[in-house]
Amino acid sequence: MTRSRRIDIPNPTGLRGYLEQESDPIVRLRLILLNLIAELPRSLSLAQICAMVDVPEPTAYVWVRA
């Protein structure tokens, strides 16, 4: 099993606010992924979180950097 790093998401409170207001489904998916990374326990890897929302891990890294 490959272990991927967990990423720290700055300002998770602001992220939740944006998620509540967003109506575009693509942007919402990105915000959901980032929110899961910020909120779920560190025992879950980034790969596991990506599998939950069916987003490739490299894409998640791009979204975090953006």
Side-chain angles (χ1 to χ4, degrees):
M1 180 169 113
T2 306
R3 296 291 296 176
S4 57
R5 308 182 287 154
R6 282 297 297 270
I7 301 167
D8 289 323
I9 303 296
N11 195 7
T13 306
L15 182 63
R16 274 182 247 120
Y18 290 127
L19 181 57
E20 291 171 3
Q21 297 172 2
E22 188 56 54
S23 61
D24 182 336
I26 295 171
V27 175
R28 237 179 118 64
L29 178 61
R30 291 179 184 191
L31 292 173
I32 288 169
L33 176 77
L34 295 174
N35 191 51
L36 287 173
I37 293 170
E39 297 292 328
L40 289 176
R42 290 204 167 274
S43 60
L44 290 173
S45 69
L46 181 62
Q48 291 170 314
I49 294 171
C50 288
M52 288 179 199
V53 291
D54 197 28
V55 171
E57 197 172 347
T59 301
Y61 280 109
V62 169
W63 290 353
V64 169
R65 280 188 227 116

